[in-house]
Amino acid sequence: MTSAIKTSNLGKWYKKGVRGQKIEALVDLNLEVREGEVFGFIGGNGAGKSTTIKILMGLNRPTAGQAFIFDTRIDDPAARDRVGYLSEHPQFYDFLTPLELFRLMGTLRRMEGKRIHQRADELLHLVALADASNRRIKGFSKGMVQRLGIAVALLGDPELLILDEPMSGLDPLGRHLVANIIRELQQQGKTIFFSTHIIPDIETLCDRVGILVRGHQKYAGSIHEALYPQGSRFEITVRMPEQWKVEQSSFARKPLLWQKNVLYRFEIEETEIAATVQAVMDQGGSVATLEPKRRSLEELFLQLSEDSVPNLGDAVPTTVS
Amino acid sequence: MHAFAAIWAIGIATMKGGLRDRLIQSLLLAGFFFLFSTMVFSSFSMRQPMEVAINYSLATVQILAVLITLFLGLNLLSREIESRAGHGVLTQPLSRSAYVLGKFFGLMLLCCIVVAFLALCAVIGVLLVRAGTPNAPLILWENFGLSLMGILLISLLLGAASLLFCAVATSAILPFLATIAIWVIGNSTQTVKNYLDANIADQAMTPQLKAIITGAYYVFPNLSLLDFKVYAIYGLPLAAAQVGFALTYGLAYTIVLLTLATRLFQTRDML
């Protein structure tokens, strides 16, 4: 399968100040985004997310490594043929109207005039800007410009969308709109690569996630592996008879998470599930719930940000291919 | 083929931006009033009202064309990069060279419109003065037209210089000041060259200094070569070879500046 995005030891450093102090914005990024997946890119301020995206979009030049979009090197403008891009703070020629902007961008994407008008009409309706199609962008609010940015990114019906903080600056309705657009595009088989600070968005929208901490890639893998790491523990809630005493049972050594009346919640190993269920039934009880002990992405992110090694076992590759 | 379409589209957008800019609209309006006031200023001269009218008209067109080029040049790349408004275009599948050339094409279109508009005002102003002047001398309109062509070329050369400075500078003000410096230097180089060619220079400066100044003369543009105003004012004959050389020089210098600008912009990191 072709990779939508592939980077190999990608790096970017700047020299700052009179002494030319070297600032490393990105170090040895090895990333692969597969066709048809939604890939979330998390990182704190200055982690290197926007730098990565700017390199991919040809706005910045890498100082080390290589990057490819659909197997085309990013320094070739043709690499952007199949890409739609939304920047963190989209800015357009504010002296133009949205329709004029679409005409310009469509021409740059080699689209025919008729097709440009058709797409402009569809997209302005999609982002609820149809009424403003002939107004100068100068008078638009921040949210309107953000929505216009999404429409511009979708203009060429691209196979890959690169979105830098697509939810930033949007009200809850706008965020809902963007989340729906991402889901719809995913169903159409598009590849979406987006960065965000809003971790719940990643959990609900993404298939895989990459975590950057101070320019270093700390994790890249599936959301499922991140939230439910291999060899993880389970939480079992059991309903036991009233006279049942935990300390006198075979559960005495298991970590008791909480107890309420006849309900008890224990933490168990995955390998203990069958034996535990059997023991509960043997002692006259029943299983109320059984669920894998879930780690939130935020917990993982905070853990990685503090430079501690996450307990993810084999599911923590530094590179994923 | 796509590169030409991209250059055209960016050029048209740039031109629209210029025409919709309040500052440029104000300068054009000021030009309109200045040029229609030619009659008032020419009446200050009892003997040569026509010469004053032509001089005043062409000088006004030149100053306004250069001012508009400077302000537009400021917006061409620096402001676009600072405000990130150009990112939308730069992230489309086109080369950076096409982007820079598109900006220049837009500047060229706008300069043509500006010079044409101001020229029309200037011609009307001069014709009104002639109508009110008994025994008015013959106006050499071809020299008047060549002067306007020279003004247009100077504007384009300064626009290309502005693009070159924008391609490397990280702030908007530096290219603006550097382009003004090029304009000032460009208008002085011929005087400096005349001084160097005179015997007095050998006595006043060392051979090393003279070599440096001579080198600078060849590096900086000589805008006096493109200034045909005096030929239009006094109706002096202009040799075709002189015009051909000046036009070739202006175009070649502009092309060199544009080539450098596109090369340097290739490696530029955006904010």
Side-chain angles (χ1 to χ4, degrees), chain A residues 44-316:
Chain A
N45 291 328
K49 305 186 300 293
S50 292
T51 301
T52 306
I53 288 177
K54 279 182 179 172
I55 290 173
L56 290 174
M57 293 312 300
L59 291 172
N60 284 0
R61 304 294 187 209
T63 43
Q66 290 181 325
F68 301 86
I69 292 179
F70 293 115
D71 292 340
T72 306
R73 280 177 64 112
I74 49 156
D75 46 10
D76 181 350
R80 299 189 288 276
D81 269 342
R82 295 150 75 185
V83 184
Y85 166 66
L86 173 70
S87 76
E88 185 179 358
H89 304 291
Q91 293 285 333
F92 300 105
Y93 294 146
D94 59 6
F95 49 82
L96 296 178
T97 66
L99 281 180
E100 289 172 332
L101 183 70
F102 280 124
R103 238 172 266 142
L104 169 65
M105 297 302 189
T107 307
L108 300 180
R109 299 196 71 88
R110 301 187 187 93
M111 292 170 71
E112 287 179 8
K114 203 174 168 184
R115 175 81 178 133
I116 295 171
H117 282 274
Q118 185 195 342
R119 284 293 287 166
D121 197 40
E122 287 168 17
L123 292 167
L124 288 172
H125 275 96
L126 180 73
V127 297
L129 286 175
D131 293 340
S133 60
N134 283 309
R135 270 171 52 194
R136 297 252 179 104
I137 299 168
K138 190 175 261 182
F140 280 20
S141 69
K142 194 180 172 189
M144 287 169 84
V145 174
Q146 190 84 6
R147 281 185 277 144
L148 179 65
I150 292 163
V152 170
L154 295 173
L155 179 65
D157 196 17
E159 290 164 58
L160 167 65
L161 274 153
I162 296 182
L163 314 173
D164 193 0
E165 302 280 356
M167 314 287 191
S168 107
L170 292 178
D171 58 19
L173 281 175
R175 283 178 57 189
H176 182 71
L177 175 79
V178 173
N180 279 348
I181 290 172
I182 290 176
R183 281 192 198 99
E184 199 175 307
L185 292 168
Q186 188 186 21
Q187 281 171 5
Q188 291 170 18
K190 310 279 187 195
T191 310
I192 298 158
F193 177 82
F194 77 97
S195 71
T196 185
H197 286 110
I198 306 163
I199 291 176
D201 290 341
I202 296 270
E203 288 188 17
T204 53
L205 294 170
C206 296
D207 302 308
R208 293 200 307 139
V209 63
I211 298 178
L212 270 186
V213 178
R214 289 187 285 278
H216 294 263
Q217 181 181 325
K218 292 287 182 178
Y219 178 77
S222 81
I223 282 280
H224 187 82
E225 285 170 348
L227 301 181
Y228 305 104
Q230 265 182 9
S232 69
R233 299 173 72 80
F234 277 68
E235 289 182 5
I236 186 166
T237 310
V238 296
R239 183 179 286 109
M240 301 307 287
E242 282 183 17
Q243 67 278 14
W244 188 78
K245 296 276 187 250
V246 63
E247 55 277 4
Q248 294 165 7
S249 71
S250 57
F251 290 81
R253 287 188 180 174
K254 295 193 190 304
L256 178 65
L257 298 174
W258 57 262
Q259 185 215 335
K260 195 171 182 184
N261 301 326
V262 293
L263 287 174
Y264 300 82
R265 174 171 279 207
F266 298 98
E267 191 177 320
I268 58 172
E269 292 289 341
E270 191 175 8
T271 51
E272 297 174 321
I273 292 174
T276 306
V277 171
Q278 188 60 54
V280 167
M281 292 173 74
D282 289 347
Q283 292 169 49
S286 60
V287 175
T289 63
L290 173 67
E291 54 196 25
K293 188 170 166 58
R294 188 178 184 277
R295 171 205 304 262
S296 78
L297 202 55
E298 193 166 349
E299 280 171 340
L300 174 64
F301 173 63
L302 291 173
Q303 194 178 356
L304 293 172
S305 297
E306 287 162 8
D307 273 341
S308 56
V309 181
N311 184 22
L312 289 173
D314 293 336
V316 190

Side-chain angles (χ1 to χ4, degrees), chain B residues 49-221:
Chain B
M50 281 311 300
E51 285 82 351
V52 171
I54 295 171
N55 193 355
Y56 174 78
S57 306
L58 290 174
T60 305
V61 174
Q62 178 162 29
I63 288 171
L64 286 170
V66 168
L67 275 178
I68 288 172
T69 306
L70 286 173
F71 285 120
L72 191 72
L74 188 65
N75 286 326
L76 275 179
L77 282 185
S78 300
R79 286 257 168 91
E80 268 198 36
I81 293 167
E82 263 184 11
S83 69
R84 300 174 186 186
H87 286 196
V89 171
L90 283 165
T91 51
Q92 301 303 319
L94 82 156
S95 67
R96 289 197 179 182
S97 307
Y99 174 75
V100 173
L101 293 175
K103 300 307 287 181
F104 182 76
F105 178 59
L107 174 84
M108 195 172 83
L109 289 176
L110 191 73
C111 282
C112 288
I113 291 170
V114 164
V115 171
F117 172 78
L118 293 174
L120 184 68
C121 297
V123 168
I124 294 170
V126 170
L127 286 175
L128 287 173
V129 173
R130 191 174 72 168
T133 308
N135 303 319
L138 189 70
I139 300 170
L140 279 184
W141 288 110
E142 59 270 31
N143 285 8
F144 194 89
L146 280 171
S147 296
L148 291 168
M149 174 77 85
I151 290 169
L152 181 64
L153 264 179
I154 289 172
S155 298
L156 294 182
L157 192 150
L158 289 176
S162 180
L163 273 174
L164 171 63
F165 297 130
C166 289
V168 288
T170 49
S171 79
I173 196 70
L174 278 175
F176 183 69
L177 295 176
T179 312
I180 291 176
I182 288 288
W183 185 37
V184 172
I185 293 169
N187 280 312
S188 321
T189 44
Q190 189 59 52
T191 313
V192 174
K193 181 76 164 74
N194 293 343
Y195 175 73
L196 288 175
D197 291 343
N199 288 336
I200 192 170
D202 293 332
Q203 297 159 14
M205 61 179 72
T206 62
Q208 290 83 0
L209 182 61
K210 192 177 174 185
I212 291 169
I213 295 174
T214 307
Y217 168 78
Y218 287 109
V219 170
F220 290 106

